[in-house]
Amino acid sequence: MTTTPPALITDTTDAVDWFARRLRHETDPSDVAAARAAGEQLTLIDVRNQASFDQGHVPGARHIPRPELAARHGELAGLPNLIVYCWGPACNGATRAALELSRLGYPVKEMIGGFEYWAREGLAIESIDGRSRRPVDPLTAPLT
Protein backbone atom coordinates (compact mmCIF):
# COMPACT_ATOMS: atom_id res chain seq x y z
CA MET A 1 0.00 0.00 0.00
CA THR A 2 1.44 3.36 -1.00
CA THR A 3 0.49 6.56 0.65
CA THR A 4 0.54 9.99 -0.85
CA PRO A 5 2.42 12.56 1.21
CA PRO A 6 0.42 15.60 2.31
CA ALA A 7 0.41 18.45 -0.16
CA LEU A 8 2.93 21.18 0.54
CA ILE A 9 1.13 24.32 1.63
CA THR A 10 2.46 27.36 -0.15
CA ASP A 11 -0.40 29.79 0.46
CA THR A 12 -1.11 30.31 4.16
CA THR A 13 -3.83 32.93 3.70
CA ASP A 14 -6.65 30.51 4.53
CA ALA A 15 -4.81 29.29 7.61
CA VAL A 16 -4.15 32.82 8.85
CA ASP A 17 -7.83 33.70 8.40
CA TRP A 18 -8.99 30.48 10.08
CA PHE A 19 -6.79 30.82 13.16
CA ALA A 20 -7.49 34.54 13.52
CA ARG A 21 -11.24 33.84 13.45
CA ARG A 22 -10.85 31.11 16.08
CA LEU A 23 -8.95 33.43 18.41
CA ARG A 24 -11.65 36.09 18.08
CA HIS A 25 -14.20 33.60 19.42
CA GLU A 26 -12.23 31.28 21.71
CA THR A 27 -10.09 31.63 24.79
CA ASP A 28 -8.70 29.15 27.28
CA PRO A 29 -8.36 28.87 31.06
CA SER A 30 -4.80 30.19 31.26
CA ASP A 31 -5.64 33.23 29.11
CA VAL A 32 -8.75 33.94 31.20
CA ALA A 33 -6.74 33.66 34.43
CA ALA A 34 -4.03 35.97 33.03
CA ALA A 35 -6.59 38.53 31.86
CA ARG A 36 -8.28 38.52 35.27
CA ALA A 37 -4.90 38.90 37.01
CA ALA A 38 -4.19 41.89 34.75
CA GLY A 39 -7.45 43.50 35.88
CA GLU A 40 -9.52 42.93 32.74
CA GLN A 41 -13.26 42.94 33.29
CA LEU A 42 -14.60 39.53 32.25
CA THR A 43 -18.04 38.01 32.66
CA LEU A 44 -17.78 34.23 32.92
CA ILE A 45 -20.98 32.26 32.42
CA ASP A 46 -21.20 28.65 33.57
CA VAL A 47 -23.89 26.93 31.48
CA ARG A 48 -23.84 23.54 33.26
CA ASN A 49 -26.59 22.23 35.53
CA GLN A 50 -26.95 23.17 39.20
CA ALA A 51 -25.31 20.02 40.57
CA SER A 52 -22.22 20.58 38.39
CA PHE A 53 -22.03 24.26 39.35
CA ASP A 54 -22.31 23.38 43.05
CA GLN A 55 -19.56 20.78 42.69
CA GLY A 56 -17.18 23.43 41.39
CA HIS A 57 -16.99 26.49 39.16
CA VAL A 58 -14.74 29.38 38.25
CA PRO A 59 -14.83 31.94 41.10
CA GLY A 60 -17.22 34.76 40.31
CA ALA A 61 -18.86 32.97 37.38
CA ARG A 62 -22.53 33.61 36.75
CA HIS A 63 -24.62 30.47 36.63
CA ILE A 64 -27.11 30.36 33.78
CA PRO A 65 -27.81 26.78 32.69
CA ARG A 66 -27.91 26.57 28.91
CA PRO A 67 -31.62 25.60 28.75
CA GLU A 68 -32.41 28.85 30.63
CA LEU A 69 -30.20 31.10 28.52
CA ALA A 70 -32.87 32.30 26.10
CA ALA A 71 -35.14 33.34 28.96
CA ARG A 72 -32.38 34.89 31.09
CA HIS A 73 -30.07 36.50 28.54
CA GLY A 74 -31.28 39.96 29.60
CA GLU A 75 -29.20 39.51 32.78
CA LEU A 76 -26.13 39.82 30.58
CA ALA A 77 -27.02 43.11 28.87
CA GLY A 78 -24.22 45.63 29.26
CA LEU A 79 -21.81 43.23 30.95
CA PRO A 80 -18.27 43.22 29.55
CA ASN A 81 -16.45 40.43 27.73
CA LEU A 82 -18.85 37.49 27.92
CA ILE A 83 -17.11 34.11 28.16
CA VAL A 84 -19.12 30.90 28.35
CA TYR A 85 -17.91 27.53 29.55
CA CYS A 86 -19.26 24.09 30.35
CA TRP A 87 -17.66 20.94 31.69
CA GLY A 88 -14.75 20.25 29.33
CA PRO A 89 -13.63 19.35 25.83
CA ALA A 90 -16.19 16.55 25.54
CA CYS A 91 -19.06 18.95 26.26
CA ASN A 92 -20.53 21.17 23.57
CA GLY A 93 -22.83 23.08 25.93
CA ALA A 94 -20.61 26.15 25.81
CA THR A 95 -20.49 26.04 22.01
CA ARG A 96 -24.28 25.87 21.92
CA ALA A 97 -24.53 28.72 24.45
CA ALA A 98 -22.09 30.87 22.49
CA LEU A 99 -24.09 30.26 19.32
CA GLU A 100 -27.32 31.17 21.08
CA LEU A 101 -25.88 34.36 22.59
CA SER A 102 -24.37 35.32 19.22
CA ARG A 103 -27.77 34.89 17.58
CA LEU A 104 -29.20 37.17 20.28
CA GLY A 105 -26.63 39.84 19.37
CA TYR A 106 -24.09 39.38 22.17
CA PRO A 107 -20.36 39.35 21.49
CA VAL A 108 -19.14 36.21 23.26
CA LYS A 109 -16.19 33.85 23.51
CA GLU A 110 -16.06 30.20 24.44
CA MET A 111 -13.53 29.04 27.04
CA ILE A 112 -12.18 25.89 25.41
CA GLY A 113 -11.30 23.17 27.88
CA GLY A 114 -14.09 24.36 30.15
CA PHE A 115 -14.15 23.93 33.89
CA GLU A 116 -12.25 20.65 33.63
CA TYR A 117 -9.10 22.33 32.36
CA TRP A 118 -9.57 25.31 34.65
CA ALA A 119 -9.40 22.92 37.62
CA ARG A 120 -6.69 20.71 36.10
CA GLU A 121 -4.43 23.74 35.66
CA GLY A 122 -4.63 24.31 39.42
CA LEU A 123 -6.62 27.54 39.20
CA ALA A 124 -8.90 28.55 42.07
CA ILE A 125 -12.34 26.97 42.16
CA GLU A 126 -15.46 27.64 44.19
CA SER A 127 -17.96 25.03 45.30
CA ILE A 128 -20.69 24.73 47.89
CA ASP A 129 -17.86 23.81 50.29
CA GLY A 130 -15.92 27.03 49.67
CA ARG A 131 -12.87 28.05 47.69
CA SER A 132 -9.97 25.71 46.94
CA ARG A 133 -7.42 24.62 44.36
CA ARG A 134 -6.72 21.18 43.00
CA PRO A 135 -3.19 19.97 42.30
CA VAL A 136 -1.84 20.93 38.90
CA ASP A 137 -2.12 18.12 36.38
CA PRO A 138 1.32 17.92 34.75
CA LEU A 139 -0.34 17.06 31.43
CA THR A 140 -2.05 20.45 31.34
CA ALA A 141 0.34 22.90 33.01
CA PRO A 142 3.92 22.93 34.20
CA LEU A 143 4.56 22.00 37.81
CA THR A 144 6.29 24.76 39.77
Side-chain angles (χ1 to χ4, degrees):
M1 172 186 234
T2 58
T3 60
T4 304
L8 182 62
I9 297 173
T10 57
D11 180 3
T12 60
T13 305
D14 282 348
V16 169
D17 291 345
W18 166 257
F19 291 117
R21 278 193 313 274
R22 284 189 64 192
L23 289 172
R24 280 195 305 271
H25 304 290
E26 294 178 347
T27 188
D28 65 24
S30 61
D31 286 346
V32 169
R36 290 174 99 181
E40 286 188 43
Q41 298 282 328
L42 305 178
T43 304
L44 277 87
I45 307 154
D46 188 315
V47 298
R48 299 173 300 148
N49 64 30
Q50 188 68 51
S52 297
F53 185 81
D54 290 346
Q55 182 176 314
H57 56 271
V58 175
R62 294 173 170 268
H63 183 228
I64 304 178
R66 198 191 61 72
E68 298 175 19
L69 201 52
R72 295 179 55 194
H73 73 87
E75 297 173 26
L76 305 172
L79 295 176
N81 301 313
L82 303 181
I83 299 172
V84 295
Y85 71 89
C86 63
W87 185 251
C91 173
N92 67 5
T95 304
R96 292 174 185 273
L99 175 59
E100 187 165 0
L101 287 171
S102 295
R103 285 179 173 155
L104 292 167
Y106 292 90
V108 61
K109 284 189 173 189
E110 176 184 6
M111 186 172 78
I112 60 172
F115 178 71
E116 176 187 353
Y117 277 77
W118 180 273
R120 289 178 71 186
E121 290 183 21
L123 299 167
I125 62 172
E126 284 181 345
S127 71
I128 59 172
D129 297 322
R131 195 172 177 135
S132 65
R133 287 181 187 264
R134 295 181 181 184
V136 173
D137 179 338
L139 296 176
T140 65
L143 299 174
T144 55

